[in-house]
Each structure stands twice: as structure tokens, then as C-alpha cells.
């Protein structure tokens, strides 16, 4: 008994959910995707995720073969068919079947894949303890290359950074942009706290416009915490009072060490804890 997978225009058994070896998603990482949470049977920030997906597709000249309401219905149907109450959805649009050349326009039709499954979480102890991260030597994608805001199927740049963190025995890698400013983590957005103020690198510094990031900024403001989006340097990270990351899978998770520098007292700080709780409550209340 496997999962029910959405493939192009219908749900199929997992065993029948197959794509061609000539799909340019496989041959070239040509496509876009989203990772979405389900809380209490509801798709979290569904509209924001679909907007980002269609924007990403537009930038890479990929025609999504379904309109937005149809996509929304397909995501909901896939979650329901797999009885996902609290889980994770991976939505993938590949360029489709072409030939061995890179020209995307020989691919006649994009493929839609929707997988709804349980979510792999960081162990609870890690939220209590906080993460160790390293600065990656791999530079975040240049804005004149594949734009950093495009959630494309080609994650190799982030994967190179991730490898650096694994080699260093750390949980995550921080990427800086071509100007030396903080961009984001390999799979999450970053925040720091200094003197009670919450700082986030602006999206233009080269991060994904994270759905969790947006919600956390909103929740912080509701808590009366001042939020400033400005360029951050490695100095700012090293000397932060608190440091945390946000993302669909990780939600809000504290960072307690970067490149051997201990953040604050070495434990996730009070604002990090508050925002984690607020996010937890918000996500599950909707
Ligand atoms: N940056 C990158 C590179 C990511 O892959 C993700 C996870 N999708 C994020 C940031 C966080 O974005 P979100 O909160 O929308 O999951």
C-alpha cells in the first residue's frame, strides 16, 4: 500500500507514478517546486506558496499546465486522498519530456507531480539545544544568474553549501551573496536579534522569499518586536544576541554556534523561543 500521487491530471498509485528519463526536470533540473505544510488538515499559506510557484515558473518561461484554482484543488485532493492531517506536500512542475538538448521549448507539456506525506522533523531535542552552523564558501546565486527567488529544481548551489556544513560536523550552512552580505541558509531563511530588535536580510540580498519568514515577521510585529530588514554581515551573525532560522520544515529553530563563535549564552534565546511558540500556535490555530 503506497501513497496516492498526483501525476499531471489525476491521482495514481505510487507504483504507477513514473516520469520519463527524457524529462528535462531530471536531465537539467529544469522546473520549479514548493514544499508546503499541512496543519490540522489545512494547507498552510496555500495562496502564498502557489503565488511563489507561479512566479518562479513565469521567470523560467515555464507554462504551468493548470490554472491556479485547479492547482489548489489538486493539492487539496492529494492531501485528502492520503489522509494527511499534519504533514508535508511536495509540489513539482517539471519542464516535461524533451530531447537530450537543453532547449526547453521542445518539451511539449510540463508535468505536475504532487506528493503528500508525513514530515521528517528535526528531533525535538535539537529545538531545545539549538543548531551549529558554518559560513559556506559557496556564494549564493548571483541575481543575474538564476534569480535566488526562483525555487527551481536545481538546488546544486545550496547542496554545495550543505556539503560544507556536513563536512564541518554542523547542521546547516549560511550562504553569503556576491557582495559578502548574508543571504540565507542552505534550506532556510535567517534572522538575528540584537538589543531586542529582530533583523532579517532583505530578500534582495539573495534569499528565497520564505513563506515562514513572512509569517514570523508578522508575528514578531504583533508581539511588539521591532523588525528591520537590512543587509547583515558575518560580523553581525558572530555578535548577535540570538540567531534563528525559519522554513516550512524546520518552522523556527535556534542557532547557537557559527564558525566556532557561541551565540548569546549558547542556548536558543527568549525571542527565538517566543516566536517559535507563536508560530506553533498560529500554524495550528488556522
Ligand atoms: N530558503 C531556501 C533555499 C529554501 O529552500 C527554503 C525552504 N523552502 C526556505 C528558504 C524557506 O522558505 P519557506 O519558509 O517558504 O519554506
Amino acid at each position: 500500500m503506497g501513497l496516492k500521487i498526483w501525476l499531471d491530471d489525476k491521482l495514481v498509485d505510487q507504483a504507477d507514478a513514473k516520469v520519463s528519463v527524457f524529462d528535462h526536470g531530471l536531465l537539467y533540473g529544469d522546473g520549479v517546486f514548493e514544499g508546503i505544510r499541512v496543519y490540522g488538515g489545512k494547507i498552510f499559506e496555500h495562496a502564498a506558496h502557489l503565488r511563489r510557484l507561479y512566479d518562479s515558473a513565469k521567470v523560467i518561461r515555464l507554462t504551468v499546465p493548470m490554472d491556479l484554482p485547479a492547482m489548489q484543488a489538486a493539492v487539496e485532493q492529494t492531501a485528502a486522498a492520503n489522509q494527511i492531517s499534519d504533514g508535508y506536500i511536495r509540489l513539482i512542475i517539471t519542464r516535461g519530456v524533451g530531447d537530450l538538448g537543453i532547449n526547453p521549448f521542445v518539451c511539449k507539456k510540463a508535468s505536475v507531480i504532487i506528493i503528500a506525506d508525513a514530515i521528517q522533523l528535526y528531533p525535538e531535542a535539537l529545538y531545545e539545544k539549538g543548531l551549529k552552523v558554518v559560513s559556506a564558501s559557496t556564494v549564493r546565486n548571483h541575481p543575474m544568474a538564476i534569480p535566488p527567488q526562483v525555487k527551481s529544481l536545481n538546488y546544486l548551489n545550496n547542496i554545495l553549501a550543505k556539503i560544507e556544513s556536513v563536512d564541518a560536523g554542523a547542521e546547516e550552512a549560511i550562504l553569503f551573496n556576491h557582495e559578502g552580505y548574508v543571504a540565507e541558509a542552505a534550506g532556510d531563511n535567517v534572522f538575528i536579534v540584537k538589543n531586542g530588535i529582530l533583523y532579517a536580510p532583505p530578500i534582495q540580498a539573495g534569499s528565497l522569499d520564505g513563506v515562514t519568514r513572512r509569517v514570523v515577521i508578522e508575528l514578531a510585529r504583533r508581539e511588539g518586536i521591532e523588525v528591520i530588514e537590512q543587509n547583515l554581515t558575518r560580523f553581525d551573525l558572530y555578535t548577535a544576541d540570538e540567531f534563528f532560522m525559519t522554513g516550512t520544515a524546520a518552522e523556527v529553530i535556534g542557532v547557537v554556534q557559527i564558525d566556532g563563535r557561541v551565540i548569546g549564552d549558547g542556548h536558543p534565546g527568549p525571542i527565538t523561543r517566543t516566536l517559535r511558540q507563536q508560530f506553533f500556535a498560529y500554524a495550528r490555530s488556522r
Side-chain angles (χ1 to χ4, degrees):
M1 221 210 75
L3 297 169
K4 290 280 184 196
I5 311 287
W6 185 279
L7 184 59
D8 294 329
D9 51 5
K10 58 179 179 304
L11 286 163
V12 299
D13 290 334
Q14 186 176 326
D16 300 322
K18 297 200 171 107
V19 293
S20 165
V21 294
F22 286 95
D23 192 306
H24 279 205
L26 175 67
L27 289 173
Y28 296 113
D30 186 351
V32 294
F33 77 102
E34 279 297 317
I36 311 172
R37 277 269 200 163
V38 186
Y39 293 107
K42 292 247 181 340
I43 315 293
F44 186 64
E45 297 289 318
H46 202 172
H49 280 289
L50 292 188
R51 205 175 310 125
R52 186 169 69 186
L53 180 80
Y54 280 78
D55 283 350
S56 289
K58 181 177 186 181
V59 172
I60 70 161
R61 298 274 303 273
L62 174 63
T63 306
V64 181
M66 285 160 90
D67 64 15
L68 208 139
M71 186 65 78
Q72 193 164 343
V75 169
E76 278 161 7
Q77 224 178 303
T78 308
N82 293 285
Q83 281 123 44
I84 299 293
S85 171
D86 290 287
Y88 181 83
I89 290 172
R90 175 60 57 90
L91 170 48
I92 303 152
I93 318 290
T94 76
R95 186 75 70 173
V97 176
D99 58 24
L100 291 177
I102 67 166
N103 181 358
F105 301 117
V106 303
C107 306
K108 291 285 172 278
K109 195 165 186 284
S111 252
V112 178
I113 300 164
I114 309 172
I115 306 165
D117 203 353
I119 177 140
Q120 303 275 340
L121 297 167
Y122 280 129
E124 187 57 35
L126 221 46
Y127 287 91
E128 286 303 318
K129 200 165 139 240
L131 303 179
K132 208 162 106 180
V133 305
V134 289
S135 299
S137 65
T138 305
V139 171
R140 182 66 173 135
N141 297 38
H142 193 284
M144 289 299 282
I146 173 80
Q149 281 154 274
V150 171
K151 198 165 170 62
S152 89
L153 285 182
N154 194 321
Y155 252 50
L156 268 176
N157 202 61
N158 298 48
I159 289 165
L160 290 179
K162 186 76 194 181
I163 288 170
E164 293 185 52
S165 70
V166 175
D167 284 347
E171 279 93 16
E172 250 293 14
I174 306 300
L175 289 112
F176 295 77
N177 66 22
H178 60 288
E179 294 178 309
Y181 294 112
V182 178
E184 62 178 346
D188 291 298
N189 289 110
V190 304
F191 287 85
I192 59 167
V193 176
K194 186 77 179 177
N195 299 323
I197 298 172
L198 187 57
Y199 293 92
I203 297 304
Q204 289 72 22
S207 68
L208 194 72
D209 190 349
V211 170
T212 319
R213 177 185 182 279
R214 275 177 187 259
V215 171
V216 165
I217 288 174
E218 172 70 26
L219 291 173
R221 291 194 168 130
R222 272 198 221 168
E223 281 292 300
I225 299 165
E226 187 180 351
V227 185
I228 301 177
E229 294 178 61
Q230 66 170 44
N231 274 328
L232 300 174
T233 62
R234 192 144 66 169
F235 177 89
D236 298 321
L237 302 185
Y238 286 173
T239 59
D241 297 332
E242 297 185 37
F243 185 164
F244 64 86
M245 304 190 305
T246 64
T248 292
E251 300 181 314
V252 177
I253 189 158
V255 173
V256 293
Q257 209 191 102
I258 172 165
D259 302 338
R261 280 81 170 176
V262 172
I263 303 299
D265 67 357
H267 299 96
I271 291 181
T272 303
R273 285 169 181 279
T274 300
L275 291 173
R276 169 156 180 77
Q277 281 157 10
Q278 291 292 329
F279 183 82
F280 192 89
Y282 176 81
R284 283 155 183 84
S285 70
R286 287 161 57 86

